[in-house]
Amino acid sequence: MSDFQISVRELVEFILREGDIDNRGRGSVEQAMLLGARIHRRIQKRQGPDYRAEVPLSLTIDLGEYTITVSGRADGIFHGGTADAGDGQLTLREYLDTRQAESEGDLWKNAPTVDEIKGTYADIDRFEEAKPLHLAQAKCYAYLLLKEEGLERIRVRITYCQMETEQIRFFHYRYQAEELSAFFDDLIARYRRFSDHLYSHRLKVLQSIRDASFPFPYRQGQKQLVGYVYRTIRAEKKLFLEAPTGAGKTLAVLYPALKAIGEERAERIFYMTAKTIARTAPEQAFSLLRDRGLVFTTVTLTAKEHACILEKPDCNPVSCPRAQGHYTRVNDAIYALVSENDRLDRDTILDCAAAHRVCPFELSLDLALFADGVICDLNYVFDPFVYLKRFFAEGNGSPCLFLTDEAHNLLERGRQMYSAELRENDLAAASEAFRDHGKGASGDKRIPDRFRSVLAKLRELPVPAAKRKLTVLGSIEPLVQELTLLADLIAEYLSEEREEAAEEEREFYFRLFRFLTIAGFVDDHYLIHARREENGGLILKLFCVDPSERLRACADRAVSGILFSATFLPIQYYKSLLGGTPEDYEAYAETSFSPDRFRVFIAGDVTTRYKERGEDQYRRMARYLAETVAARRGKYLAFFPSYAMLLSVYRIFRQECYRPETMQILRQEEQMTEEGREAFLEYFTDGTEERLTDRIQTAIETEEEKSTLGFCILGGIFSEGIDLAGDRLIGVIIAGTGLPQVSEEQDLLRDYFDSRGQDGFDYAYRYPGMNKVLQAAGRLIRTERDAGVILLLDDRFLQPGYRALFPREWKNCKTVMTSTVKNELNAFWKGVC
């Protein structure tokens, strides 16, 4: 790779940034970004025939061993004639410069002008000069144009537009070629220590990938899986891959992705997970490959709440000492890390951030620009409010690959990301909070007045006052218009009074901004519904029923995407709702496990149907648990669809089946801390003798000759993302089909898909439920040497609709009764041994 690409904005903001992190005025920035494009177009149209808008510019700088191409789009360029000040106001300096230009005659008369337009909610009458970063950006565009056209001199105009009033303010500057050349050369010189590192590092990355081979002998089906992934990347498509637990899918997906990087089909890998614990797998895989010679820098992005040094993140120089001067110090921290480390994990970043006194979260985001691989949550790619704009905003970033692990989670997460709620009670409370601040924006009571208008529009919605059920609504455009006007006023207030604004005022603005952004997405993939709370307050929801279009738009930012999961059945269901197209691929990876080493049993005389739940069914479940644990000493997990059922079966088991001399039992708590979770899992780690915390119930201390039975919630923290290989787990018992609780919103999902020719019950209930079942069952067999049993406690699993969703490797399942399960279990274990 001989050429580095960087945008003008990235170069200027990276090299010239300084000072503090201060998010107290973030609301005005977000709103300005939302409206900025519209304001840009409006201003550009006013400029006349000599004005060219959105002019692409670029310049390639030869640095010997490599080149850097700096590019971007100038908001506008005047060619010939003077860039008229129009209805803007001239400062004394601008006036004198203009008079001097006139006195110099033709020298400046035909010099073009580069226009840089910025929207703001600030009072532009208070501006004495253009903001330094804005001017620097315009000077870069001016230099690119100057070099492109061989000019000796050029002019720059910074155009500020006050977003609320649309007042315009201009600042004019003139530059000789030598002056701009010195400015630009200095920028490149200051960036060069980073680009020199990136160049030498990139050469090592490409060579190490070309020399790399798969680190282990291929398991059965694994080489085929590698081929699926590689061919998909070459075709620049998406692959929806069902890969059974233990198939070695992490390495089998990473390895061909790395080979594609080595062939320069892409430059960066984004490895996404839905749960923090799942990031351990790619971190370990990259470390394994580094031990075998791979040169590849990875950064793991940690949520702000978990990286922040404060108890609660408060990003401003008053509340956080790290925010003070962060931007002045951060580039040194970046260089120190990327020049000495290939694995930029949470602990490494925290240590460096402490040494340089910078924010660890913001540092990690900057490090991503210098990493070859980014390990992160789904939010950083798919969430419209959290996604990494430095990579994925229009025109940004380099070619990348998306690898999405446990991708079945993306469906529900996508619905959440692209849905939003508005509560009448929140609006009323915010109205009270802002009552004294309407005058803060411009000396009047506009904010309280607008709140009254919004509340009036909300209360006009046709939702019966006494009705607690959901009401599906049509268009809410009049309400959205009122909310937009309110958001404009609050953004103006936050811009002017950011230090005085209360935290609850800023938080309300961000919720409002989110609602309005989502409102802009609403189409026939959405349902709008409302219901009333117990106190009569209305809750309005923009419900993204089908997130496929939104997820597809995000996925298309990558050269190729691999979405993989051990529970991707039926795969067409996930493919359609996760943004797949008919041209994209799907595949089912073979398992290397012998079907003789595990067995699936279906209990034919027990059910978890809601109407039939009771002591009799719970007692049968307890008996099944007892027979399973008694058949072979080992460690078992039992999963239940509700905490109430878990407690009932646990109580009966403890009273009637528990044998302290041969077993120990423990249960998941409804609200479990991270420490409690780790303590629970320690019981399934070889050789541990530690007791659980007070929040976890246990009968006795761990003794190796005793069996362990853990009671857990189906779909909870222990049913996905934990790896219990070997004898750390030899049995999984699952009560129920995992169906989501019947609710009005789930019924809306059902009706929506019924109306589109699909089986609504499957889409809303059966498929999500079976995914939970398969995830829990997947805790069992992790390696080729593992052996164990899966016991499904619900006669509905005998129905064809559920059997059709079983993985291929479950083909040898057997039906059992309480009277026969003991003999069947004994026969299985005898055959395995």
Side-chain angles (χ1 to χ4, degrees):
M1 178 179 179
S2 59
D3 183 40
F4 287 100
Q5 307 279 342
I6 189 168
S7 71
V8 166
R9 182 170 183 171
E10 289 171 333
L11 178 65
V12 168
E13 291 185 352
F14 182 73
I15 296 301
L16 298 182
R17 59 185 175 174
E18 59 183 17
D20 307 330
I21 299 173
D22 194 346
N23 285 345
R24 289 173 296 182
R26 182 161 58 99
S28 59
V29 175
E30 299 280 6
Q31 187 74 355
M33 290 176 64
L34 185 67
L35 301 176
R38 188 181 69 195
I39 292 295
H40 272 57
R41 290 192 295 271
R42 188 175 302 171
I43 293 173
Q44 288 163 342
K45 288 178 180 178
R46 296 176 183 170
Q47 303 307 309
D50 292 330
Y51 188 92
R52 287 194 297 144
E54 302 298 328
V55 180
L57 297 167
S58 67
L59 177 66
T60 298
I61 303 102
D62 189 345
L63 297 178
E65 292 183 301
Y66 64 93
T67 61
I68 296 177
T69 297
V70 181
S71 60
R73 286 182 178 271
D75 290 333
I77 295 176
F78 288 97
H79 269 94
T82 303
D84 197 311
D87 57 353
Q89 303 172 21
L90 294 178
T91 64
L92 177 60
R93 174 180 169 176
E94 293 166 350
Y95 173 76
L96 294 175
D97 284 348
T98 301
R99 297 296 298 168
Q100 182 179 351
E102 291 173 355
S103 68
E104 291 174 354
D106 293 338
L107 193 62
W108 287 92
K109 183 177 180 181
N110 294 317
T113 299
V114 171
D115 190 23
E116 180 68 15
I117 304 170
K118 298 295 181 184
T120 179
Y121 281 97
D123 182 355
I124 60 178
D125 286 332
R126 298 179 183 178
F127 289 8
E128 296 182 0
E129 294 284 351
K131 302 296 183 182
L133 287 181
H134 300 163
L135 181 58
Q137 192 172 336
K139 288 167 69 175
C140 282
Y141 290 128
Y143 182 71
L144 299 188
L145 181 63
L146 184 146
K147 295 293 288 184
E148 184 177 292
E149 299 189 359
L151 304 172
E152 295 182 1
R153 58 190 58 82
I154 198 167
R155 293 179 292 187
V156 165
R157 184 178 81 175
I158 308 297
T159 301
Y160 285 108
C161 177
Q162 211 289 332
M163 304 289 279
E164 172 70 14
T165 64
E166 297 194 12
Q167 175 191 355
I168 301 294
R169 178 81 185 276
F170 300 120
F171 291 95
H172 296 270
Y173 301 88
R174 298 179 301 138
Y175 297 101
Q176 298 284 352
E178 296 79 8
E179 187 178 0
L180 283 182
S181 180
F183 164 78
F184 191 82
D185 288 347
D186 178 64
L187 276 183
I188 296 299
R190 292 165 68 179
Y191 181 70
R192 188 163 180 177
R193 67 165 170 162
F194 296 96
S195 61
D196 283 350
H197 165 76
L198 287 172
Y199 171 71
S200 61
H201 173 74
R202 193 67 177 173
L203 292 180
K204 296 173 186 175
V205 167
L206 295 177
Q207 188 58 51
S208 72
I209 291 175
R210 290 163 187 158
D211 294 341
S213 58
F214 200 76
F216 303 113
Y218 285 112
R219 301 176 185 177
Q220 180 181 341
Q222 197 174 32
K223 189 171 184 178
Q224 184 182 35
L225 197 161
V226 168
Y228 291 151
V229 174
Y230 181 71
R231 287 192 294 273
T232 300
I233 295 173
R234 287 199 61 171
E236 299 186 357
K237 302 291 185 182
K238 293 189 287 293
L239 172 65
F240 294 81
L241 178 64
E242 159 85 11
T245 298
K249 59 181 178 293
T250 302
L251 271 175
V253 169
L254 269 182
Y255 179 71
L258 287 168
K259 284 297 183 180
I261 297 285
E263 295 171 0
E264 301 188 60
R265 298 182 185 278
E267 295 179 13
R268 184 176 281 109
I269 291 173
F270 283 85
Y271 192 108
M272 289 168 280
T273 69
K275 299 180 186 296
T276 301
I277 192 171
R279 294 168 210 172
T280 303
E283 286 180 336
Q284 291 177 343
F286 278 119
S287 293
L288 174 71
L289 293 167
R290 287 192 196 100
D291 291 342
R292 287 160 171 76
L294 177 70
V295 177
F296 202 82
T297 299
T298 58
V299 60
T300 301
L301 300 184
T302 304
K304 181 184 289 188
E305 292 74 17
H306 297 146
C308 187
I309 64 170
L310 303 179
E311 204 168 299
K312 180 183 178 182
D314 194 2
C315 303
N316 67 78
V318 175
S319 302
C320 179
R322 298 281 185 87
Q324 298 173 15
H326 166 90
Y327 291 119
T328 305
R329 300 184 296 271
V330 71
N331 282 5
D332 289 336
I334 294 169
Y335 189 77
L337 274 177
V338 299
S339 61
E340 298 175 5
N341 299 273
D342 277 345
R343 178 172 175 167
L344 306 176
D345 57 17
R346 179 176 181 270
D347 291 339
T348 302
I349 293 170
L350 288 176
D351 290 344
C352 182
H356 289 266
R357 294 180 295 113
V358 296
C359 169
F361 177 71
E362 292 292 336
L363 173 60
S364 71
L365 296 182
D366 280 335
L367 288 170
L369 291 167
F370 296 89
D372 308 298
V374 180
I375 302 169
C376 62
D377 187 85
L378 297 168
N379 288 346
Y380 291 102
V381 171
F382 293 102
D383 191 298
F385 304 97
V386 181
Y387 81 100
L388 298 172
K389 295 180 179 65
R390 61 193 72 199
F391 291 107
F392 306 129
E394 186 175 354
N396 287 359
S398 54
C400 58
L401 302 175
F402 289 166
L403 310 181
T404 307
D405 198 354
E406 302 297 352
H408 60 274
N409 289 292
L410 182 56
L411 176 53
E412 193 54 39
R413 288 282 294 276
R415 284 187 175 129
Q416 294 169 5
M417 292 172 189
Y418 287 95
S419 297
E421 283 189 348
L422 184 70
R423 293 174 177 263
E424 181 181 350
N425 292 337
D426 289 347
L427 277 168
S431 177
E432 291 296 316
F434 278 98
R435 175 178 293 175
D436 297 328
H437 294 306
K439 59 186 179 183
S442 60
D444 58 26
K445 291 287 186 179
R446 292 179 299 160
I447 290 180
D449 288 347
R450 188 58 61 188
F451 265 110
R452 282 191 287 272
S453 298
V454 166
L455 285 166
K457 287 293 182 186
L458 183 66
R459 290 162 182 164
E460 289 174 5
L461 295 177
V463 182
K467 188 177 181 182
R468 299 292 180 263
K469 293 186 177 181
L470 294 183
T471 299
V472 178
L473 302 173
S475 173
I476 56 168
E477 187 58 31
L479 173 62
V480 170
Q481 291 175 1
E482 288 293 334
L483 288 168
T484 301
L485 294 172
L486 175 63
D488 288 346
L489 290 172
I490 297 176
E492 180 184 355
Y493 162 71
L494 291 175
S495 176
E496 293 180 352
E497 311 290 344
R498 67 178 185 177
E499 294 184 7
E500 289 74 21
E503 179 65 22
E504 57 267 25
E505 294 171 343
R506 291 195 293 269
E507 288 303 317
F508 171 78
Y509 174 80
F510 297 138
R511 293 196 300 272
L512 177 57
F513 177 79
R514 175 186 175 84
F515 185 88
L516 287 172
T517 302
I518 297 300
F521 296 150
V522 170
D523 56 16
D524 60 359
H525 295 84
Y526 279 77
L527 292 173
I528 303 174
H529 66 69
R531 64 180 176 85
R532 295 202 178 271
E533 300 183 82
E534 290 300 321
N535 62 9
L538 191 145
I539 301 176
L540 177 65
K541 183 170 182 178
L542 311 177
F543 182 29
C544 184
V545 180
D546 177 0
S548 59
E549 290 295 323
R550 294 294 150 196
L551 297 178
R552 182 182 302 122
C554 297
D556 286 346
R557 295 165 179 158
V559 172
S560 177
I562 312 298
L563 298 91
F564 54 105
S565 171
T567 56
F568 235 6
L569 297 176
I571 204 161
Q572 292 298 332
Y573 161 75
Y574 286 104
K575 183 179 179 182
S576 65
L577 292 180
L578 296 183
T581 67
E583 293 75 28
D584 291 324
Y585 307 147
E586 65 268 359
Y588 190 104
E590 293 183 18
T591 179
S592 59
F593 305 136
S594 169
D596 297 329
R597 293 193 61 80
F598 76 96
R599 187 62 45 83
V600 178
F601 297 104
I602 303 175
D605 56 352
V606 68
T607 184
T608 62
R609 291 180 180 87
Y610 188 77
K611 292 182 179 179
E612 298 182 47
R613 293 180 185 181
E615 292 292 301
D616 179 60
Q617 294 294 334
Y618 299 155
R619 187 163 279 105
R620 292 187 191 186
M621 293 179 196
R623 183 175 173 185
Y624 272 112
L625 295 181
E627 295 289 5
T628 303
V629 174
R632 184 175 180 86
R633 179 177 57 81
K635 298 178 181 181
Y636 299 83
L637 287 174
F639 294 93
F640 298 88
S642 71
Y643 197 65
M645 185 183 295
L646 182 153
L647 290 178
S648 296
V649 178
Y650 178 87
R651 172 180 51 80
I652 293 172
F653 186 93
R654 190 176 180 86
Q655 292 171 353
E656 302 179 10
C657 307
Y658 174 51
R659 301 292 180 266
E661 67 277 7
T662 61
M663 68 179 71
Q664 58 187 355
I665 57 174
L666 53 147
R667 74 169 187 243
Q668 176 183 343
E669 286 297 311
E670 194 168 16
Q671 300 295 327
M672 210 165 200
T673 64
E674 185 67 23
E675 294 76 13
R677 178 187 175 282
E678 291 174 0
F680 186 101
L681 288 176
E682 283 173 357
Y683 263 71
F684 294 85
T685 304
D686 296 336
T688 183
E689 295 183 357
E690 298 182 24
R691 289 187 60 85
L692 296 178
T693 63
D694 292 339
R695 293 182 60 77
I696 304 170
Q697 306 301 308
T698 181
I700 56 175
E701 294 186 1
T702 304
E703 296 178 20
E704 294 216 8
E705 67 272 15
K706 296 179 180 180
S707 291
T708 300
L709 174 60
F711 287 68
C712 304
I713 300 297
L714 185 62
I717 55 177
F718 298 116
S719 63
E720 183 173 349
I722 60 172
D723 193 353
L724 299 173
D727 60 2
R728 290 192 292 173
L729 189 68
I730 67 167
V732 169
I733 304 98
I734 302 168
T737 56
L739 299 183
Q741 185 175 356
V742 175
S743 69
E744 290 182 282
E745 191 161 270
Q746 289 301 124
D747 285 346
L748 285 180
L749 278 175
R750 180 197 62 202
D751 296 343
Y752 175 91
F753 288 107
D754 273 339
S755 70
R756 280 155 178 78
Q758 305 294 340
D759 188 317
F761 177 79
D762 283 350
Y763 273 56
Y765 290 100
R766 196 195 313 269
Y767 295 162
M770 275 302 295
N771 190 275
K772 293 180 186 178
V773 171
L774 297 175
Q775 277 294 321
R779 299 314 95 209
L780 181 64
I781 303 294
R782 312 297 293 185
T783 74
E784 294 175 347
R785 298 180 301 276
D786 292 359
V789 297
I790 298 169
L791 186 58
L792 304 178
L793 301 182
D794 199 303
D795 58 12
R796 283 176 288 182
F797 286 114
L798 297 172
Q799 297 174 5
Y802 288 97
R803 294 288 289 267
L805 300 176
F806 285 6
R808 296 177 186 176
E809 54 270 22
W810 284 19
K811 59 185 177 182
N812 292 329
C813 59
K814 282 196 169 186
T815 303
V816 294
M817 303 291 178
T818 51
S819 59
T820 64
V821 66
K822 179 179 179 179
N823 290 338
E824 291 289 353
L825 287 166
N826 288 336
F828 167 76
W829 286 117
K830 183 178 180 180
V832 168
C833 297

